[in-house]
Amino acid sequence: MEYIKEIDNVKKAVDILENCSEFTALIPEVRSNIVMAVKGADTVEQVVGIPGRITIVNGRPKSVMEPDFMSSSHMARLVISIMEHDPTIRSALNMKYDLKILEICKKLGLKISSYNRENEPEDVKEIEGSTIPWGVETAIDKIGTIPDIIYHLGAWGKEPMICLVGPNAVEVAEMAVCIAKLYDKLENIMGEPSTQEIELTDKCHDVIFSSCRGLWKAYKSDVTCIFCAIAEGNPHIEEKVLYNDKINMVLMNIFPYSRGHLEVVPVKHYTDINEIGSEEIKKLFCLVQRTISLVKEVIKPDGINIGLNLGKS
């Protein structure tokens, strides 16, 4: 069969979702669908999805039918719209709207954007199927890049929704499982105390691809030192500061090599590591230790790479 790779990829993605009981809590009222377009697709007929969507059976996610083409016009239009900006982003999955899910995505370093369906222009409303392409364009324009997460708060007769996008269905499903497991733990923490042993989240953080990484070359800044600008609170510099004790900072990399990519940076500008005194370097590496503990607690990786970036190159 032509395009067997895309169908097979969606099948594997469905298996991943069906084997994650925690994903049940992320399925919206209209049910979920995961789609993947063929390379170079420009019509919804070239997008694989699940006929009947992914529903809930006996408390677990369950695909109604086998993957096939022309199975989800909504999600297909979303993917086609994104591919007009980046043809490598060929897959998407819809989940229920919950602010806690967005907070988890933010902490995972995913780029998030949204659109308001109430602001949809009248000329767009008049054309069948134009809402989602308009929403995608609005979400991209809002942050100046392709988001990993696009959400809206619904409208009359329309359920609020979160959509996760990525290069292929398997990778999107793996990230969805990661989000679902973290969401489940968050719900347990906020609910009644549990005496049960916490289940290990095996393979829920295996996704290491970062779709925004390749955009760093287009990032323009006229500041002499990006870290000094962040330390000084320059409002024109995008940043994600997790910690700042006025001596050292912990930052999330705006263009991460992988999920959980953090940077520990001195607030004072140094051009050589040998300029740092013994007490200062002790504080710096004590903060590195604390940062490693944070990554281990949240991401639970099999290993951690620690490196020093010295010099302009």
Side-chain angles (χ1 to χ4, degrees), residues 213-257:
R213 178 66 197 166
L215 300 174
W216 73 269
K217 292 182 179 180
Y219 188 82
K220 303 294 183 182
S221 174
D222 56 1
V223 299
T224 304
C225 174
I226 189 70
F227 299 115
C228 286
I230 293 173
E232 294 164 1
N234 189 323
H236 302 295
I237 299 299
E238 184 180 3
E239 48 79 10
K240 292 183 180 179
V241 179
L242 298 183
Y243 175 83
N244 186 344
D245 60 12
K246 308 303 180 183
I247 299 174
N248 298 296
M249 304 181 292
V250 180
L251 317 172
M252 290 183 71
N253 194 336
I254 295 296
F255 303 105
Y257 287 102

Side-chain angles (χ1 to χ4, degrees), residues 192-204:
E192 294 294 323
S194 174
T195 57
Q196 293 182 341
E197 184 178 352
I198 296 177
E199 179 186 357
L200 293 177
T201 53
D202 293 340
K203 299 196 73 176
C204 78

Side-chain angles (χ1 to χ4, degrees), residues 13-250:
V14 169
D15 286 342
I16 291 170
L17 296 174
E18 287 184 338
N19 285 311
C20 176
S21 59
E22 295 88 347
F23 181 72
T24 304
L26 271 58
I27 296 176
E29 292 295 327
V30 297
R31 299 321 191 208
S32 292
N33 209 327
I34 186 164
V35 302
M36 182 175 178
V38 303
K39 288 184 178 180
D42 55 9
T43 66
V44 297
E45 289 79 13
Q46 296 171 296
V47 181
V48 177
I50 309 299
R53 307 183 184 184
I54 298 171
T55 187
I56 302 172
V57 177
N58 295 326
R60 297 186 66 90
K62 181 64 179 177
S63 171
V64 173
M65 296 178 66
E66 290 288 300
D68 202 353
F69 287 91
M70 298 180 65
S71 301
S72 175
S73 60
H74 287 78
M75 298 303 292
R77 287 197 297 272
L78 185 142
V79 168
I80 293 297
S81 299
I82 289 178
M83 288 178 66
E84 292 178 1
H85 295 268
D86 185 345
T88 67
I89 307 299
R90 298 194 283 138
S91 181
L93 166 70
N94 67 310
M95 304 178 291
K96 76 174 187 181
Y97 174 83
D98 188 320
L99 187 58
K100 292 190 288 291
I101 295 175
L102 294 180
E103 287 297 322
I104 289 169
C105 293
K106 182 178 179 181
K107 290 179 180 179
L108 287 173
L110 299 177
K111 286 192 173 291
I112 301 171
S113 190
S114 64
Y115 62 94
N116 188 340
R117 297 187 70 134
E118 293 183 357
N119 296 334
E120 185 180 356
E122 289 299 325
D123 59 331
V124 173
K125 292 180 181 179
E126 293 174 358
I127 304 174
E128 180 69 24
S130 296
T131 298
I132 290 178
W134 167 81
V136 169
E137 294 299 319
T138 301
I140 291 175
D141 289 343
K142 194 172 184 179
I143 64 172
T145 188
I146 298 174
D148 301 298
I149 295 287
I150 298 177
Y151 73 92
H152 67 80
L153 298 180
W156 180 259
K158 300 293 182 181
E159 183 180 2
M161 202 67 60
I162 295 175
C163 293
L164 170 65
V165 305
N168 61 69
V170 167
E171 196 160 299
V172 167
E174 287 176 338
M175 181 51 67
V177 166
C178 170
I179 294 168
K181 288 182 179 292
L182 291 173
Y183 181 78
D184 179 68
K185 291 186 182 301
L186 184 61
E187 290 288 280
N188 286 336
I189 291 172
M190 296 179 68
E192 294 294 323
S194 174
T195 57
Q196 293 182 341
E197 184 178 352
I198 296 177
E199 179 186 357
L200 293 177
T201 53
D202 293 340
K203 299 196 73 176
C204 78
H205 296 288
D206 282 358
V207 180
I208 62 172
F209 177 82
S210 179
S211 59
C212 66
R213 178 66 197 166
L215 300 174
W216 73 269
K217 292 182 179 180
Y219 188 82
K220 303 294 183 182
S221 174
D222 56 1
V223 299
T224 304
C225 174
I226 189 70
F227 299 115
C228 286
I230 293 173
E232 294 164 1
N234 189 323
H236 302 295
I237 299 299
E238 184 180 3
E239 48 79 10
K240 292 183 180 179
V241 179
L242 298 183
Y243 175 83
N244 186 344
D245 60 12
K246 308 303 180 183
I247 299 174
N248 298 296
M249 304 181 292
V250 180

